[in-house]
């Protein structure tokens, strides 16, 4: 794999991970359209996620330090653990099926459309909650469970993890900023879990990635830098822009993917 290709995929991963447009869906789409045949695709995609994990660690470093230093007073660590359980259960129960859909594009277009529908509902719920004055600015156990269940849906390529979890937050009446921040922090245990799982598989299969290591490192670096900028940008943007614009983008992308599949391009 070339360093230029790895950098491009890292850029897409970093930007799309925290914007509600599905990084995994964009990676799969790019690889399919340009005939990119990446050996051990799942592992490479997860390593790109590690770059965005570093971005989350840097942006929210004060929050991480506080929750680790005061695990009883600060319940965020417990809430993140609870929010991770639905996705963990889904991965264990549907492991083979998820591995298949993550490396094939049979339902990619439909998943983009599903993301668009959730974003439109998120916009409507946000406006309704604000109008009724029922928005919450603190994540509790119920909110963590709701967002965790939607994170399990976000394991499908084309379904945005951030978009689905923010939708869960809107359903639980969180305000946009609180839902987005917790959504981004939820990515940390999800990425770590995926990394451990895929690393174990690599060791069992005796896969050698040494030849691609320079390109992988560049991809991770680019993903980390672009992810950091994406988090900063979206947190400032989320209260000032309609989520319907993101919904329109992924909706059109979903229709395009379905057309391309119908005519045999992908």
């Amino acid at each position: 794999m070339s360093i230029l290709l790895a950098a491009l995929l890292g850029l897409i991963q970093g930007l799309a991970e925290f914007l509600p447009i599905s990084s995994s869906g964009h990676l799969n789409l790019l690889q399919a359209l340009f005939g990119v045949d990446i050996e051990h695709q799942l592992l490479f995609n997860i390593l790109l996620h590690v770059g965005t994990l570093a971005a989350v660690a840097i942006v929210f470093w004060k929050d991480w330090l506080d929750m680790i230093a005061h695990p009883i007073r600060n319940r965020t660590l417990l809430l993140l653990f609870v929010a991770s359980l639905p996705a963990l259960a889904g991965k264990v129960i549907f492991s083979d099926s998820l591995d298949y859909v993550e490396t094939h594009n049979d339902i990619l277009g439909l998943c983009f459309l599903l993301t668009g529908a959730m974003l439109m509902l998120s916009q409507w719920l946000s406006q309704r909650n604000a109008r009724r004055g029922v928005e919450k600015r603190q994540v509790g156990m119920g909110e963590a469970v709701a967002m965790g269940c939607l994170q399990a849906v976000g394991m499908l390529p084309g379904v945005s993890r951030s978009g689905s979890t923010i939708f869960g937050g809107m359903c639980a009446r969180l305000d946009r900023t609180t839902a987005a921040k917790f959504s981004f922090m939820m990515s940390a245990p999800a990425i770590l879990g995926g990394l451990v799982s895929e690393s174990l598989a690599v060791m069992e299969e005796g896969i050698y990635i040494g030849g691609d290591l320079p390109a992988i490192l560049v991809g991770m670096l680019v993903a980390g830098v672009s992810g950091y900028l994406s988090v900063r940008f979206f947190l400032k943007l989320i209260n000032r822009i309609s989520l319907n614009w993101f919904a329109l983008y992924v909706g059109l992308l979903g229709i395009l993917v379905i057309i391309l599949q119908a005519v045999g391009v992908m």
Side-chain angles (χ1 to χ4, degrees):
M1 176 173 50
S2 71
I3 290 179
L4 181 60
L5 173 60
L8 175 61
L9 295 176
L11 179 64
I12 292 171
Q13 164 61 31
L15 293 178
E17 173 66 21
F18 301 110
L19 297 178
I21 56 175
S22 179
S23 59
S24 61
H26 279 74
L27 289 175
N28 282 19
L29 178 59
L30 180 71
Q31 291 163 7
L33 286 178
F34 293 96
V36 179
D37 184 16
I38 299 177
E39 191 178 9
H40 320 308
Q41 177 184 332
L42 275 179
L43 176 62
F44 177 68
N45 287 357
I46 288 174
L47 289 174
L48 289 184
H49 277 77
V50 173
T52 54
L53 174 62
V56 172
I58 294 171
V59 172
F60 302 115
W61 69 271
K62 291 182 180 179
D63 298 270
W64 292 114
L65 284 180
D66 187 66
M67 73 177 71
I68 292 171
H70 308 97
I72 297 178
R73 177 178 59 80
N74 188 333
R75 300 175 63 215
T76 307
L77 203 59
L78 172 63
L79 294 173
L80 288 173
F81 172 76
V82 171
S84 301
L85 293 179
L88 176 61
K91 182 65 176 177
V92 171
I93 297 171
F94 303 107
S95 177
D96 292 340
S97 299
L98 285 171
D99 286 346
Y100 177 83
V101 297
E102 286 171 1
T103 53
H104 296 75
N105 298 313
D106 300 351
I107 59 172
L108 184 60
L110 293 176
C111 287
F112 275 128
L113 292 177
L114 176 58
T115 295
M118 287 192 291
L119 291 174
M120 285 191 293
L121 286 171
S122 295
Q123 177 67 26
W124 176 76
L125 285 169
S126 175
Q127 292 175 329
R128 189 196 66 170
N129 293 340
R131 202 165 48 241
R132 294 181 176 180
V134 296
E135 286 185 316
K136 305 173 186 176
R137 288 173 172 78
Q138 186 171 350
V139 179
M141 195 62 69
E143 292 77 21
V145 171
M147 294 180 72
C149 290
L150 269 297
Q151 180 169 247
V153 179
M155 291 190 293
L156 296 171
V159 175
S160 167
R161 191 206 60 80
S162 62
S164 62
T165 50
I166 289 173
F167 172 57
M170 297 297 97
C171 291
R173 298 181 179 179
L174 290 174
D175 70 275
R176 289 195 193 189
T177 301
T178 303
K181 180 178 178 179
F182 192 73
S183 168
F184 295 159
M185 297 184 77
M186 284 172 64
S187 68
I191 293 170
L192 286 173
L195 179 63
V196 170
S197 173
E198 287 305 313
S199 296
L200 290 174
V202 167
M203 287 188 290
E204 289 177 359
E205 297 176 20
I207 295 173
Y208 176 71
I209 61 171
D212 287 329
L213 186 58
I216 289 174
L217 291 176
V218 169
M220 291 171 64
L221 177 62
V222 174
V225 173
S226 57
Y228 173 86
L229 297 175
S230 180
V231 172
R232 290 293 193 190
F233 172 74
F234 191 61
L235 284 176
K236 291 181 179 179
L237 184 73
I238 190 167
N239 284 319
R240 295 185 291 186
I241 189 172
S242 172
L243 295 174
N244 288 335
W245 290 110
F246 296 106
L248 176 63
Y249 170 73
V250 292
L252 292 175
L253 192 59
I255 294 171
L256 176 63
V257 169
I258 291 173
I259 292 174
L260 292 175
Q261 289 174 330
V263 299
V265 174
M266 57 177 294

